Amino acid sequence: MALSKVTGKRDVYLDDRPWEEALEEYMAYLEQKGALNPGPPEVVAVEEARGRVTAAPVYARVSSPHYHAAAMDGYAVKAALTFGASETAPKRLAVGSEAIMVDTGDPLPEGCDAVIMVEDVHFVSSGVLEITQPVYPWQHVRPIGEDIVATEMIVPANHRVRPVDIGGLLAGGVTEIYVHPRPRVAILPTGTELVEPGRELRPGDIIDYNSRMLAGLVTGWGGVPVRKKITADDFEALRRSLLEALQESDIVLINAGSSAGSEDYTAEVIRSLGRVLVHGVATKPGKPVILGEVDGRPVIGVPGYPVSAYLCADLFVKPIIYKKLGSVPPARRKIEATVSRKLVSSLGVEEFVRVKLGQVGDKIIATPISRGAGIIMSLIRADGIVRVPRLSEGYGAGQAVPVELLRPLEEIKETTVIIGSHDIALDVLANYLRRLYPQASLSSAHVGSLAGLNALKRGEAHCAGTHLLDEETGEYNVSYIQRLLPDRGVVLVNLVYREQGLIVAKGNPKGIRGLEDLARPGVTFVNRQRGAGTRVLLDYHLKQLGISPDQINGYEREEYTHMAVAAAVAGGVDAGLGIRAAAVALGLDFIPLAEERYDLCIPREYWDTPYIQRLLTVMNLPEFRKEVQALGGYDLRDCGKVMWEQK
Amino acid sequence: MALSKVTGKRDVYLDDRPWEEALEEYMAYLEQKGALNPGPPEVVAVEEARGRVTAAPVYARVSSPHYHAAAMDGYAVKAALTFGASETAPKRLAVGSEAIMVDTGDPLPEGCDAVIMVEDVHFVSSGVLEITQPVYPWQHVRPIGEDIVATEMIVPANHRVRPVDIGGLLAGGVTEIYVHPRPRVAILPTGTELVEPGRELRPGDIIDYNSRMLAGLVTGWGGVPVRKKITADDFEALRRSLLEALQESDIVLINAGSSAGSEDYTAEVIRSLGRVLVHGVATKPGKPVILGEVDGRPVIGVPGYPVSAYLCADLFVKPIIYKKLGSVPPARRKIEATVSRKLVSSLGVEEFVRVKLGQVGDKIIATPISRGAGIIMSLIRADGIVRVPRLSEGYGAGQAVPVELLRPLEEIKETTVIIGSHDIALDVLANYLRRLYPQASLSSAHVGSLAGLNALKRGEAHCAGTHLLDEETGEYNVSYIQRLLPDRGVVLVNLVYREQGLIVAKGNPKGIRGLEDLARPGVTFVNRQRGAGTRVLLDYHLKQLGISPDQINGYEREEYTHMAVAAAVAGGVDAGLGIRAAAVALGLDFIPLAEERYDLCIPREYWDTPYIQRLLTVMNLPEFRKEVQALGGYDLRDCGKVMWEQK
């Protein structure tokens, strides 16, 4: 725990309160300070009011229609003149006096109270028409106020104006309405390490992307974001920025410096000007949040990690913005899903786990994705969020859990779920799938080949990507499938052949030529996780060479994808085993070791579904094949071909 | 059928095709003309990209983190130096050389591969710290590319950019992206009768509100609306407007003139410049739609009635805009609901019935609202749409039907459903309810007192508004409830006493003094619907006076609300029976006849639910009472009081 540079006191550990309790207390406090009241109403033109929130109910100024209107093209008449008309005793009416031609929308002429449709009359001469049935009064007439009666309420207060409301308000003679002002939300990016996007990066620099993400969220919730310049980690500078921000905004977000580290001044600065009500909540991510108040305005310390920042904004900022607009945030749709793997969570914190979702058979399967607070890609890829409650230690694989949706269920149901080994060609496949079938998407979870086949066994995916070498036979995948899915009808379709080899730094400075060099002192290595086909391949070759894992410096460091291995090499590790495309992508050198077969294992029951048939169509597209080939190290000679079947 | 003024030919009847078939043919035709392709991609700053749709997949330019970063505040070390540390054999490290202080996010110093949390060290002197357990390599380190690896795809093509995507793109070093241009949609209001909003209205004028509603819809779907000036019903003028619109837009909507009347030129104008593929579909509303094409651009004739216009835009314009953005419209959520009344629909047309929804007991109840194509309020009030298929004649009361939601289900579940007699105080109640409980709302269906009690019987509402006079006893409501709901526990709570009387024109030009004057020749009347308490009251008094209904001119003209009756009087009818507030609202004169009691009949099982308890809270608010009193003719002496109970 760091000493505060300003107060000289050791800062306290953060609180560990349930977030709902913290929010409730905070809102009650803000309410009492008047900080949640909408600002003074603004007048806006109805035409410009889409998305704005009414500050008062709006009443019609005129009726619609504001006159008795013909509802059909035809002839206006006095209904009484038509009584008694029949096939045998038709009635004749003088056009222009007894029957007056009207178009839809025309005012009903004086003395008329009904309209005869043009289809129901016939002319006996140019000035006389004949009808064979009577009309009742008010037939085919839209009386005054049929739609809207003057003084009637068209929309209530605190109502978000939609296009149909714009139509109705204008129809009711209203051209301007009172709306709540959009809450102005100042966003203060703070941190000596922050740099603006687009700058040349030095080690230690962090691109200030959080403030832009927060600004987008604020806009979506109906606020006006005011992004301020980056402030260094300096008590006085932050204090000045906050004072300035308070001048021009209703809510202030300080991102970050919200933790209790040696350069975290946010809480102290808020405390020096106002009050900190909560510092720390029992959520993961998002723990180091600060809920404060200065001059009757909410001031919130938003944590620095992007997922924490998102969550904190969603839990604490969103309800304030909505409340200042007289409303509550719309609830996210909740469904029940089956978790595909064991989900361990700490007792005492509520964890917000991002998951991919897909419908497999009659179940919606939720597959957790990376849980780090720093992994913004986990939010970008997420279809939903599983909340593991504070008093739970998690869920077992196969358990049904509630999921909050981040994407419409209808879209999720159009998602092909592929699980297993990672290959870059899958990204290209996903892209072309979407291009060909805009409603479809591909969700791929990278857990390794073996785990992929096990997921198929549990009914959690439509297919699995696998490249498992049988050390005995030298053949790929078949023996593993026979062992793991003995009773399952499956089709094994090739996606690619690809080169596996050692990814090494540009120019190969350590002069690595093969796996035997990994045992050399001074050579560092990065491995793939257990169950990955690439690791099976490594172990197979090491065994043949008589090298034991403990001779390799870095055998224990596990990464989950080829790209992560390549990134580790780009970051200073000497070597890793992976596919050529990953080396090519990051401009690294590559020492080929073997060509291997990467197949899709498809349970027979999904073969005829769009989930699979769409993939097969894409695999036959020349553009798709060309783009995969361009990645380097791929051979698509059998792409889309059935390699083996099990009835 | 009208003669075309231009061609001299009788125009054909409109087509009657299923809309899906028409849409499919139209889209295929447009596709082949290249009219559905996105325009050339635009470059936008990532910060400004919220809501835009990517034209190509976006790949990371840098990794995130782009250096090995400390993931905790603490000390960076080489893990190997800590091996063997334990409680009994602690290891000491020299601060500054063997253990280097780092904050979260700092780059890992050269030679270090792990971070020890600040909490896990203790200082033996100012320059030496001690640890009692080893750290493993890469502990508390975010390696390069942990979140995003350079070259990795961050978002695919045809992806609508969300705030989190903005974060991820900037984190991956991307500051500009290619997006599809927003389709430009010209909207041509046409009709000699149209006037701009805010103008003084003469009979026959129609406010051009459709074009503004359409503009709002287009914006929401991702297009750019370009509203043009109003064009008169004139072939040449419309042709010029269309040619001009085609110069500057990707899609043209002509509203209206799409029917087959004598001044409907839209189809002819499109045909004169290009092609009409479809004129008329088998929907209700929305039949007279025109799907055309000029110069490789979709040109659509949108019908003039607002609900038809909305539906046509939703069915035909929305998919075109989305397709030009590489995507498909998001599907609306569908649920199953129980229709509260018989829903008769014509064979051969698919009818889109707007419904109010509410959860009563364990069922979601759908109550159809006004079905006229001209009633924009039916869209404003709607919670969902029930589609009655072409080959169905409708649904029976109590039948389960699929409903497409226009509001989130979570909101619908917070709605108190009140059905029965209409009273203006209910609007005030709805307003205060929403103000006090922003998540709550009140849905009231005006069917008359008797029908309301019957709806309670069928379990379709939380309470019913009723003012039924027992002719024998002179008491209100009780005997009716005993008869209709004999076995049901109910609580009868008073809402208001109100003055009923004759609503007559300002200044009472016909000198009407009482009901006996309704039988006078030359006096016209407007009645309420059968089952309305007000009609019961009328019949009761007429009987006492010995006046028979056929002596009253207009006894058959039925309106459903007090305001509609008042509007009819404002429109020229001499008298109607209704409440004082309706007369006051429209500046009419009022001749009081009786004070009557308006109660809420509440089944016991709902008494303790928020649906009812919230209403009772609002009924006790002084502001609510004051506002109702200000309407005129109300007495709230018993408001909220239990008048009678049935166990």
Side-chain angles (χ1 to χ4, degrees):
Chain A
M1 190 177 320
L3 284 182
S4 162
K5 284 173 185 165
V6 175
T7 61
K9 288 183 297 187
R10 282 167 69 98
D11 211 338
V12 290
Y13 277 101
L14 300 185
D15 291 342
D16 221 357
R17 306 175 54 184
W19 71 268
E20 297 94 333
E21 185 190 306
L23 176 64
E24 195 176 326
E25 179 190 313
Y26 186 49
M27 294 296 270
Y29 177 83
L30 292 175
E31 180 87 64
Q32 169 219 320
K33 286 269 170 184
L36 297 178
N37 296 340
E42 290 173 11
V43 175
V44 296
V46 167
E47 304 198 21
E48 309 294 329
R50 182 177 163 271
R52 300 302 298 266
V53 179
T54 52
V58 188
Y59 301 97
R61 296 165 59 101
V62 297
S63 295
S64 178
H66 59 98
Y67 56 92
H68 296 313
M72 289 284 178
D73 294 346
Y75 290 85
V77 297
K78 192 166 177 57
L81 292 182
T82 70
F83 293 167
S86 69
E87 289 287 344
T88 50
K91 292 247 173 191
R92 293 186 174 189
L93 299 170
V95 176
S97 55
E98 293 173 316
I100 300 157
M101 187 176 148
V102 286
D103 281 331
T104 305
D106 283 351
L108 215 55
E110 188 71 35
C112 295
D113 60 4
V115 170
I116 307 175
M117 279 165 70
V118 68
E119 289 90 333
D120 292 340
V121 304
H122 88 267
F123 279 82
V124 287
S125 70
S126 70
V128 178
L129 57 76
E130 198 175 72
I131 52 170
T132 54
Q133 52 184 15
V135 293
Y136 52 88
W138 303 99
Q139 172 181 290
H140 302 321
V141 173
R142 301 186 62 209
I144 289 179
E146 185 196 57
D147 187 357
I148 301 170
V149 176
T151 78
E152 179 181 359
M153 186 176 70
I154 301 174
V155 291
N158 299 326
H159 175 82
R160 208 166 274 245
V161 177
R162 305 158 299 171
V164 287
D165 301 317
I166 292 177
L169 289 165
L170 293 172
V174 179
T175 54
E176 290 183 331
I177 56 172
Y178 284 104
V179 295
H180 294 308
R182 293 192 173 106
R184 290 176 64 86
V185 182
I187 301 166
L188 273 61
T190 150
T192 310
E193 70 286 1
L194 292 183
V195 296
E196 296 291 346
R199 293 287 177 79
E200 193 68 39
L201 295 174
R202 294 156 312 171
D205 286 350
I206 293 177
I207 298 169
D208 170 34
Y209 56 87
N210 270 352
S211 69
R212 276 85 178 177
M213 174 182 73
L214 292 170
L217 291 170
V218 164
T219 305
W221 296 330
V224 179
V226 184
R227 255 191 352 94
K228 311 294 290 180
K229 280 198 313 246
I230 294 168
T231 308
D233 288 315
D234 176 279
F235 181 86
E236 278 309 327
L238 184 54
R239 195 166 189 268
R240 273 196 307 277
S241 296
L242 175 54
L243 282 169
E244 198 187 299
L246 286 164
Q247 295 304 310
E248 50 178 24
S249 53
D250 306 302
I251 301 167
V252 181
L253 310 183
I254 304 178
N255 179 238
S258 71
S259 195
S262 62
E263 294 183 340
D264 292 330
Y265 300 114
T266 302
E268 279 175 64
V269 165
I270 298 173
R271 216 173 271 127
S272 78
L273 295 169
R275 198 170 155 184
V276 167
L277 282 103
V278 174
H279 192 180
V281 290
T283 65
K284 185 180 171 188
K287 179 176 167 61
V289 66
I290 300 168
L291 305 179
E293 173 267 334
V294 179
D295 275 347
R297 291 187 187 76
V299 178
I300 297 181
V302 177
Y305 277 133
V307 185
S308 307
Y310 171 88
L311 197 68
C312 162
D314 196 62
L315 294 181
F316 300 106
V317 181
K318 185 165 72 171
I320 294 176
I321 293 177
Y322 273 86
K323 181 76 183 173
K324 283 187 80 78
L325 290 167
S327 165
V328 288
R332 292 207 184 98
R333 181 165 177 192
K334 284 198 191 71
I335 59 159
E336 196 156 89
T338 304
V339 282
S340 63
R341 341 180 193 148
K342 192 171 171 189
L343 190 54
V344 179
S345 181
S346 316
L347 212 58
V349 295
E350 179 167 346
E351 188 169 354
F352 293 73
V353 181
R354 285 79 74 201
V355 295
K356 295 288 295 175
L357 297 169
Q359 171 142 19
V360 182
D362 55 2
K363 282 191 291 193
I364 304 278
I365 301 293
T367 304
I369 37 189
S370 171
R371 292 160 76 174
I375 312 292
I376 195 169
M377 287 305 292
S378 68
L379 274 177
I380 292 180
R381 296 202 178 109
D383 299 321
I385 288 183
V386 172
R387 299 188 182 198
V388 186
R390 273 186 315 125
L391 301 179
S392 159
E393 290 187 279
Y395 299 115
Q399 198 172 335
V401 299
V403 185
E404 270 179 41
L405 295 186
L406 299 174
R407 274 172 72 198
L409 186 61
E410 292 68 22
E411 261 178 67
I412 288 163
K413 289 186 172 175
E414 296 281 350
T415 302
T416 302
V417 180
I418 179 165
I419 194 163
S421 172
H422 170 252
D423 190 276
I424 298 171
L426 294 178
D427 289 346
V428 184
L429 190 64
N431 242 317
Y432 279 91
L433 179 72
R434 221 184 149 79
R435 207 175 288 180
L436 224 58
Y437 308 98
Q439 76 278 26
S441 63
L442 183 71
S443 155
S444 55
H446 311 139
V447 296
S449 297
L450 271 175
L453 293 178
N454 276 314
L456 279 194
K457 192 172 172 177
R458 293 191 303 270
E460 293 167 6
H462 300 120
C463 61
T466 175
H467 58 110
L468 289 162
L469 175 64
D470 185 329
E471 297 187 8
E472 313 281 305
T473 64
E475 209 203 353
Y476 275 90
N477 302 322
V478 172
S479 64
Y480 289 85
I481 295 170
Q482 284 172 328
R483 184 152 49 84
L484 288 170
L485 304 165
D487 312 319
R488 199 75 171 276
V490 299
V491 184
L492 194 64
V493 172
N494 180 253
L495 180 65
V496 290
Y497 294 89
R498 59 187 196 178
E499 277 182 274
Q500 285 269 24
L502 285 170
I503 300 171
V504 298
K506 183 89 201 153
N508 194 4
K510 294 272 168 97
I512 292 162
R513 288 155 170 213
L515 292 174
E516 49 278 26
D517 289 318
L518 301 182
R520 255 168 44 197
V523 170
T524 54
F525 180 73
V526 54
N527 205 351
R528 288 290 306 281
Q529 86 280 13
R530 252 160 287 235
T534 303
R535 179 140 168 183
V536 171
L537 185 74
L538 175 74
D539 292 343
Y540 169 69
H541 283 288
L542 290 181
K543 207 160 123 191
Q544 289 199 316
L545 292 168
I547 300 171
S548 99
D550 58 15
Q551 289 173 269
I552 297 175
N553 178 7
Y555 184 88
E556 296 77 19
R557 179 175 172 193
E558 298 186 344
E559 294 291 350
Y560 274 76
T561 66
H562 297 280
M563 286 306 284
V565 167
V569 173
V573 174
D574 295 324
L577 191 61
I579 57 173
R580 183 188 286 270
V584 169
L586 295 195
L588 301 168
D589 277 9
F590 183 77
I591 299 139
L593 286 180
E595 181 190 65
E596 66 170 13
R597 211 176 85 196
Y598 182 102
D599 294 334
L600 300 181
C601 176
I602 303 164
R604 208 163 264 294
E605 69 250 48
Y606 303 131
W607 182 262
D608 280 328
T609 64
Y611 299 122
I612 296 303
Q613 289 302 314
R614 286 172 184 159
L615 292 194
L616 296 173
T617 304
V618 172
M619 282 157 72
N620 280 312
L621 276 188
E623 309 92 283
F624 162 74
R625 293 171 172 225
K626 216 167 123 189
E627 191 166 328
V628 173
Q629 250 142 7
L631 295 170
Y634 284 109
D635 189 318
L636 282 85
R637 62 183 181 274
D638 284 339
C639 177
K641 189 173 151 190
V642 174
M643 309 305 285
W644 179 74
E645 291 188 68
Q646 179 170 277
K647 296 292 171 190
Chain B
M1 190 175 323
L3 284 183
S4 161
K5 284 174 186 168
V6 175
T7 61
K9 289 182 296 188
R10 282 165 71 99
D11 210 339
V12 289
Y13 277 102
L14 300 185
D15 290 343
D16 221 357
R17 305 177 54 184
W19 71 268
E20 296 96 332
E21 185 191 306
L23 176 63
E24 195 177 325
E25 178 191 312
Y26 187 48
M27 293 297 268
Y29 177 83
L30 292 175
E31 180 87 62
Q32 168 221 321
K33 286 268 172 186
L36 297 178
N37 296 338
E42 290 173 11
V43 175
V44 296
V46 167
E47 306 198 21
E48 308 295 329
R50 183 176 163 273
R52 301 302 298 268
V53 179
T54 53
V58 189
Y59 300 97
R61 296 166 59 101
V62 297
S63 295
S64 177
H66 60 98
Y67 57 90
H68 295 315
M72 289 285 178
D73 293 346
Y75 291 84
V77 297
K78 190 165 179 58
L81 291 181
T82 70
F83 292 168
S86 70
E87 289 287 343
T88 51
K91 291 247 175 190
R92 292 185 174 191
L93 299 170
V95 176
S97 54
E98 293 172 317
I100 300 156
M101 187 177 147
V102 286
D103 280 332
T104 305
D106 283 350
L108 216 54
E110 187 70 35
C112 296
D113 60 3
V115 170
I116 308 177
M117 280 166 70
V118 68
E119 289 90 334
D120 292 339
V121 304
H122 87 268
F123 279 80
V124 288
S125 72
S126 71
V128 177
L129 57 77
E130 198 174 74
I131 52 167
T132 53
Q133 51 184 15
V135 294
Y136 53 88
W138 303 99
Q139 172 180 292
H140 300 324
V141 173
R142 301 185 63 209
I144 289 179
E146 186 195 56
D147 187 357
I148 301 171
V149 176
T151 78
E152 179 181 359
M153 186 176 72
I154 301 174
V155 292
N158 298 327
H159 175 82
R160 209 166 273 246
V161 177
R162 304 159 300 171
V164 288
D165 301 318
I166 292 177
L169 290 164
L170 293 172
V174 179
T175 53
E176 289 183 330
I177 55 171
Y178 284 103
V179 296
H180 294 308
R182 293 194 174 105
R184 288 175 66 85
V185 182
I187 301 166
L188 274 60
T190 151
T192 309
E193 70 285 2
L194 292 182
V195 296
E196 297 292 345
R199 294 285 178 79
E200 194 69 38
L201 295 175
R202 295 156 312 173
D205 287 349
I206 293 178
I207 299 169
D208 169 34
Y209 56 85
N210 271 350
S211 70
R212 275 85 178 176
M213 174 182 73
L214 292 170
L217 291 170
V218 165
T219 304
W221 297 330
V224 179
V226 184
R227 255 192 352 93
K228 311 294 292 179
K229 282 196 314 242
I230 294 167
T231 308
D233 289 315
D234 176 280
F235 181 86
E236 278 308 326
L238 184 54
R239 195 168 189 267
R240 272 195 307 276
S241 295
L242 175 54
L243 282 170
E244 198 186 298
L246 286 164
Q247 294 304 309
E248 49 178 23
S249 54
D250 306 302
I251 301 167
V252 182
L253 310 184
I254 304 177
N255 178 238
S258 71
S259 195
S262 62
E263 293 183 342
D264 292 329
Y265 299 114
T266 302
E268 278 174 67
V269 166
I270 299 174
R271 215 174 272 127
S272 78
L273 295 169
R275 198 171 154 183
V276 167
L277 282 102
V278 174
H279 192 180
V281 290
T283 65
K284 185 181 172 190
K287 180 175 167 61
V289 66
I290 301 168
L291 306 179
E293 174 267 332
V294 179
D295 275 346
R297 291 187 188 78
V299 178
I300 297 181
V302 177
Y305 277 133
V307 185
S308 307
Y310 172 87
L311 197 69
C312 163
D314 196 63
L315 295 180
F316 301 106
V317 182
K318 185 164 72 170
I320 294 176
I321 292 177
Y322 273 85
K323 180 77 182 172
K324 284 188 80 77
L325 290 167
S327 166
V328 289
R332 292 208 184 98
R333 182 165 175 191
K334 284 198 190 73
I335 60 160
E336 195 156 88
T338 303
V339 282
S340 63
R341 339 180 194 148
K342 192 172 172 187
L343 190 53
V344 179
S345 181
S346 317
L347 211 59
V349 295
E350 179 168 348
E351 188 170 356
F352 293 73
V353 181
R354 285 80 72 201
V355 294
K356 295 288 296 175
L357 297 170
Q359 171 141 21
V360 183
D362 56 0
K363 283 190 292 194
I364 304 277
I365 301 294
T367 303
I369 37 189
S370 170
R371 293 160 75 174
I375 313 294
I376 194 169
M377 288 305 291
S378 68
L379 274 177
I380 292 180
R381 295 203 179 108
D383 299 321
I385 289 182
V386 172
R387 299 188 182 198
V388 186
R390 272 185 316 124
L391 302 179
S392 159
E393 291 187 280
Y395 299 114
Q399 197 171 335
V401 298
V403 185
E404 272 179 40
L405 295 186
L406 298 174
R407 273 173 72 199
L409 185 60
E410 292 68 23
E411 261 178 68
I412 288 163
K413 289 186 172 176
E414 296 281 349
T415 302
T416 302
V417 180
I418 179 167
I419 193 162
S421 172
H422 171 250
D423 190 275
I424 297 171
L426 293 178
D427 290 345
V428 184
L429 191 65
N431 242 317
Y432 278 90
L433 179 72
R434 221 184 148 79
R435 206 176 288 180
L436 224 58
Y437 308 98
Q439 75 278 26
S441 63
L442 183 72
S443 156
S444 56
H446 311 139
V447 296
S449 298
L450 270 176
L453 294 178
N454 276 315
L456 279 193
K457 191 172 173 179
R458 293 191 303 269
E460 292 167 6
H462 300 120
C463 62
T466 173
H467 58 110
L468 289 163
L469 175 64
D470 185 329
E471 298 187 8
E472 313 281 304
T473 64
E475 209 203 355
Y476 275 90
N477 301 322
V478 172
S479 64
Y480 289 84
I481 294 170
Q482 285 171 327
R483 184 153 48 84
L484 288 169
L485 304 165
D487 312 317
R488 198 75 172 275
V490 299
V491 184
L492 194 64
V493 173
N494 180 252
L495 179 65
V496 291
Y497 294 90
R498 58 186 197 179
E499 278 183 274
Q500 286 268 26
L502 285 170
I503 301 171
V504 298
K506 184 88 198 152
N508 193 5
K510 294 271 169 99
I512 292 164
R513 286 154 172 213
L515 292 174
E516 48 279 27
D517 290 318
L518 300 182
R520 256 168 43 197
V523 170
T524 54
F525 181 72
V526 54
N527 206 350
R528 288 291 305 281
Q529 86 281 13
R530 250 161 287 234
T534 303
R535 177 136 170 188
V536 171
L537 185 75
L538 174 74
D539 292 344
Y540 170 70
H541 283 287
L542 290 179
K543 208 158 120 190
Q544 290 199 316
L545 293 167
I547 302 172
S548 98
D550 56 16
Q551 290 174 267
I552 298 177
N553 178 7
Y555 185 87
E556 297 78 17
R557 179 175 172 193
E558 298 185 345
E559 293 291 350
Y560 274 77
T561 66
H562 297 280
M563 287 306 285
V565 166
V569 173
V573 175
D574 294 324
L577 191 59
I579 57 175
R580 183 188 285 270
V584 170
L586 295 194
L588 302 167
D589 278 8
F590 182 79
I591 299 140
L593 286 182
E595 181 191 66
E596 65 171 12
R597 210 176 85 196
Y598 182 101
D599 295 334
L600 301 181
C601 176
I602 303 165
R604 209 162 263 293
E605 69 250 48
Y606 304 130
W607 182 262
D608 279 328
T609 64
Y611 299 122
I612 296 302
Q613 288 303 313
R614 287 171 183 158
L615 292 194
L616 296 174
T617 304
V618 172
M619 283 157 71
N620 280 311
L621 276 188
E623 309 93 281
F624 162 75
R625 293 170 174 225
K626 215 167 123 188
E627 191 167 328
V628 172
Q629 250 143 6
L631 294 170
Y634 285 108
D635 189 317
L636 282 85
R637 62 184 181 272
D638 284 338
C639 177
K641 189 173 152 189
V642 174
M643 308 305 285
W644 180 76
E645 292 187 67
Q646 180 170 274
K647 297 293 172 189

